[in-house]
Amino acid sequence: MWRPFSSGTEFADWKENNCKQCAKGYDNNWHCDIEYALDYAYVTDGHVPDEIADRMEKEEKEYLWFCPEKEMKEA
C-alpha cells in the first residue's frame, strides 16, 4: 500500500489536473481504476494498492505529476 498524497489539497490538485480533464473521468460511474482507487483512499486511510501506485508511476517526486493513463477529452 502507498499513500500518494500528503493532504486533501494534493489529492484535489491531482483530480483537477488529471481526472477532470480525462475522457475516462467519473460521470456517475468510475471508468478508471486509478480514479476509483484514489477516491476510495480519500474516504478511507489515504492508501492505494501497490498495483495502482505502480500504474501512477509512484517513483515520481512531485505530487502533481501527469497521470500516465490520462486520455484527454476532445474539445
Side-chain angles (χ1 to χ4, degrees):
M1 299 295 277
W2 178 65
R3 185 178 179 129
F5 311 114
S6 63
S7 69
T9 301
E10 289 183 2
F11 165 81
D13 288 346
W14 168 277
K15 292 273 291 190
E16 185 68 32
N17 288 287
N18 288 293
C19 303
K20 288 189 178 184
Q21 298 177 18
C22 182
K24 298 183 291 184
Y26 179 83
D27 63 358
N28 296 322
N29 196 7
W30 281 276
H31 303 282
C32 174
D33 296 336
I34 293 174
E35 184 176 22
Y36 174 80
L38 290 174
D39 288 350
Y40 185 79
Y42 182 75
V43 298
T44 59
D45 64 0
H47 291 83
V48 297
D50 291 335
E51 174 204 350
I52 296 295
D54 291 340
R55 288 171 57 189
M56 291 176 71
E57 298 180 353
K58 68 179 181 179
E59 300 304 321
E60 191 69 37
K61 301 293 184 217
E62 297 292 323
Y63 78 89
L64 192 55
W65 65 96
F66 182 79
C67 178
E69 298 186 13
K70 181 178 176 180
E71 297 176 10
M72 291 298 292
K73 291 180 182 178
E74 293 185 25

